[in-house]
Amino acid sequence: MGNVIVIGAQWGDEGKGKIVDLLCGRADVVVRFQGGPNAGHTVSVAGRKTFLHHVPSGILHPERLCLLGNGMVVDPDRFLKEVADLQAAGVEVDGRLFLSRRAHLIFPHHRALDQAAEEQPEHRIGTTRRGVGQAYMAKALRVGVRGVDLDDDAELRRRLTLALRLHHAFKEAIPGLPHVTLEESLEAAASNRRRLAPYLDDTGGRLQDALEAGRRVLFEGSQGTLLDVDHGTYPFVTSSNTVAGAACTGAGVGPAQIQAAVGVYKAYATRVGEGPMPTEETGQVGEGLRQRGREFGTTTGRPRRCGWFDAVAGRYAARVNGLRVAALTLLDVLDASSEIQVAVAYDTPSGRIDRFPSSPAALSAARPVYETLPGWEQDTSGCRAWDDLPARARDFVERLETLLGVRFVLISVGADRDQTIEREAGALDALFS
Ligand code: GDP
Ligand code: IMO
Ligand code: MG
C-alpha cells in the first residue's frame, strides 16, 4: 500500500516541508488535508529555498500529482501568487496541481475579522491574521463558500448575504471591524471563479483513482499536534484538526487506506503566537536557539519562541497520532550546546505529573523537570549516516526515542534535502512497502 501521513508533533514549524519533499522521492501523489495560508513550509534543494503556504511540498519533484484537499481553506489571491512564483522559478504545475472544489475559500471579510480581532487584547491568539479561523467558522456555520459554489450565482448571493450579515453583527464586539459590501464580495467571487477554474477539481476522486491504481500517496499536515483545535493547547490553537486522523476527513480517504503516520519533531521546542509553552527559554538560551535555528516565521516573519525539547508534550503527541516512527529535525542546531535539557515531567501545584494537561491554566502553572544530557559540541551538518553522528548525539536521539516511544527513522542535520540521515538502509522503503 505505502500511503503515509506526515504531521507536525509540536507547535508547528518542525520541518514538515523538508521531510515531505524528501519522502516525495518515493511517492506519486502529495495531498494537503487541512489549514491554508497560515502554513509556511520551507523546502531547500541545493541551497535554493522555496516557501510554500498552500501548495504541497511535493511540487519540486517533477510529475508528482499535488492536491489541495477538501479540508483546506484557501486564499485565492495568495494561492495564485504562490503558483505564479513557482512558475516564475521554472516549476511546471500545469496538469498536476489541483484544488478541491469542496475546499472553502477565504474572503476579504474573513481576513478583516481576523485582523480586527487580533487588535483586541482579550481576543488575541497571535494568529497569522490570514482569515483562516474565520473561514473555518463560516464552514461550521454553513455560510462558507467553496470552489464549487462559485458556479451557482443565486446560491452564492444567498450565502454571502447571510455571511456578511453575521460578519457585521461582530461590529459591536470588535471595534474597528471594516464594513464589507455584498458587491465587493461578489466581485471577489467572480474574479476567483475565473482565476481558479484551471485548478478546481474533484481531488477526492483523483485520489481514489490513484489509490486504486496502486499509486503511493503522501498526506502532508500543516501546523502541529499542539495547535490542533481538539487536542492542542486550546484556546491557543489553530482552527483545524492537525493530527494524523484529520488526513482521512480532509482528503477524502478511509483509515484502512493509510499505512503509517510519521511525526516530525525538532530537537528543541518552538512556538509562534500566544499560549502556554512550559519549556520556553526567554533569556540567552532561547536567543541562542533562535539564532542558530533561524527561528523566524516563514509566514509572518515573527521571531519564534524557543526552548528545550518537551518530552511530556512529545509523548502526548505520539499517542494522539498513534506514532511509531518519526523524523527528528534541526539536530545540528544543538551542535554548539555543551549541555542539553529535555523536559521529562512537570512540577505542578498538585504534584509531579508526566501527562500533558488539558487545561491551559494547569499547563501555564507547570514547571518542567529537566534531565540534562551532555552536548556533543561537534558539527553534525556533514553527517549522512547514523554512524557518522557523534556518540553523544546518538545517545540524545536514543533517549528521546525511549521517552517518546517512537523510532526516528530520519534525522535531519541541515535544511537541505541531502542533509539527512536515514536511520538504517531500507528504513524509508519499509515505510512505503
Ligand atoms: P514546517 O512549517 O514544519 O515545514 O517548517 P518551516 O519550514 O516553517 O521551518 C523549518 C525551518 O527549518 C526551515 O527554515 C527549514 O529550511 C529549516 N530546516 C529544516 N530541517 C532543518 C535541519 O535539520 N537543520 C536546520 N538547520 N534547518 C532545518
Ligand atoms: P506550519 O504549517 C506555527 C499558529 C499561530 C497562532 C495559532 C492560530 O508552518 O507549521 P491561525 O492563523 O492558524 O488562526 O493562528 O496557530 N500557527 C502556526 N504556528 N506554524 C504554523 O504552520 C502555524 N499556523 C498557525 O501563530 O499561534
Ligand atoms: Mg512553518
Side-chain angles (χ1 to χ4, degrees):
M1 206 164 28
N3 305 310
V4 176
I5 304 171
V6 176
I7 50 94
Q10 292 156 311
W11 278 286
D13 303 325
E14 299 90 346
K16 298 174 291 294
K18 163 166 178 168
I19 299 301
V20 168
D21 166 74
L22 191 83
L23 293 180
C24 214
R26 288 175 165 78
D28 307 296
V29 183
V30 192
V31 55
R32 277 276 306 273
F33 53 88
Q34 45 71 233
N38 48 354
H41 297 179
T42 315
V43 179
S44 180
V45 183
R48 186 167 165 180
K49 290 203 171 205
T50 304
F51 303 105
L52 299 163
H53 302 284
H54 295 91
V55 175
S57 301
I59 199 74
L60 299 187
H61 288 265
E63 290 168 26
R64 300 303 187 280
L65 181 60
C66 291
L67 304 176
L68 283 73
N70 57 278
M72 289 187 73
V73 292
V74 173
D75 182 323
D77 290 331
R78 287 187 184 275
F79 167 68
L80 291 161
K81 165 88 169 57
E82 211 176 311
V83 172
D85 287 348
L86 284 166
Q87 286 170 322
V91 178
E92 183 60 65
V93 301
D94 288 349
R96 68 183 189 102
L97 177 67
F98 296 102
L99 160 62
S100 171
R101 289 199 186 96
R102 291 176 181 273
H104 281 251
L105 302 178
I106 297 177
F107 272 74
H109 64 273
H110 297 140
R111 282 194 300 272
L113 181 53
D114 196 357
Q115 284 157 15
E118 282 291 307
E119 294 301 326
Q120 304 297 313
E122 68 271 30
H123 286 289
R124 189 171 301 143
I125 299 289
T127 72
T128 56
R129 301 182 177 223
R130 301 262 157 113
V132 170
Q134 289 64 25
Y136 277 118
M137 178 178 78
K139 172 177 175 173
L141 286 172
R142 275 62 56 89
V143 295
V145 173
R146 303 166 302 165
V148 67
D149 302 317
L150 297 173
D151 291 329
D152 182 340
D153 283 338
E155 176 60 14
L156 186 60
R157 178 175 282 272
R158 187 191 75 83
R159 204 110 31 105
L160 282 172
T161 303
L162 288 177
L164 289 176
R165 210 178 280 161
L166 291 169
H167 173 76
H168 292 131
F170 277 106
K171 271 188 182 157
E172 201 180 307
I174 300 174
L177 183 64
H179 191 84
V180 179
T181 65
L182 179 62
E183 284 62 41
E184 282 171 68
S185 301
L186 287 170
E187 257 169 50
S191 143
N192 293 338
R193 171 169 37 205
R194 185 175 42 76
R195 295 179 305 154
L196 292 179
Y199 303 102
L200 287 171
D201 199 79
D202 172 18
T203 57
R206 265 187 197 271
L207 200 54
Q208 291 300 343
D209 289 345
L211 289 167
E212 275 163 32
R215 303 256 185 279
R216 290 164 167 182
V217 179
L218 259 186
F219 297 84
E220 175 178 1
S222 65
Q223 291 78 55
T225 301
L226 304 174
L227 290 172
D228 182 284
V229 67
D230 284 280
H231 303 286
T233 54
Y234 192 89
F236 301 104
V237 291
T238 191
S239 38
S240 64
N241 284 116
T242 61
V243 293
C248 291
T249 51
V253 302
Q257 292 176 292
I258 300 174
Q259 184 179 21
V262 178
V264 185
Y265 291 87
K266 66 172 78 173
Y268 49 97
T270 63
R271 170 163 207 167
V272 197
E274 312 292 318
M277 177 181 175
T279 63
E280 179 172 16
E281 288 284 336
T282 51
Q284 274 191 349
V285 170
E287 190 52 34
L289 290 170
R290 188 174 304 114
Q291 293 307 329
R292 283 195 298 279
R294 298 203 182 92
E295 294 291 357
F296 299 88
T298 311
T299 298
T300 58
R302 289 180 287 177
R304 296 173 181 152
R305 299 159 63 190
C306 295
W308 296 115
F309 192 92
D310 185 341
V312 181
R315 186 164 53 235
Y316 169 73
R319 291 166 65 123
V320 169
N321 291 292
L323 300 178
R324 285 199 289 269
V325 290
L328 186 66
T329 59
L330 294 121
L331 184 70
D332 54 299
V333 173
L334 299 182
D335 285 353
S337 305
S338 55
E339 282 189 340
I340 297 166
Q341 314 271 20
V342 176
V344 294
Y346 297 147
D347 272 335
T348 73
S350 48
R352 188 161 288 192
I353 56 170
D354 61 4
R355 293 228 171 191
F356 195 66
S358 47
S359 132
L363 195 57
S364 297
R367 296 288 159 261
V369 178
Y370 284 119
E371 185 173 300
T372 303
L373 287 91
W376 44 92
E377 297 180 273
Q378 281 178 56
D379 181 3
T380 59
S381 64
C383 297
R384 295 292 176 272
W386 176 247
D387 291 335
D388 295 346
L389 284 173
R392 285 177 172 178
R394 292 197 303 259
D395 291 346
F396 171 73
V397 176
E398 286 176 342
R399 181 67 187 131
L400 294 191
E401 289 184 324
T402 305
L403 289 166
L404 303 179
V406 303
R407 183 164 174 84
F408 287 113
V409 290
L410 275 176
I411 295 149
S412 173
V413 291
D416 231 61
R417 192 187 272 172
D418 68 359
Q419 289 182 295
T420 315
I421 295 170
E422 190 173 350
R423 182 61 171 277
E424 59 258 314
L428 296 189
D429 290 330
L431 200 60
F432 283 93
S433 63

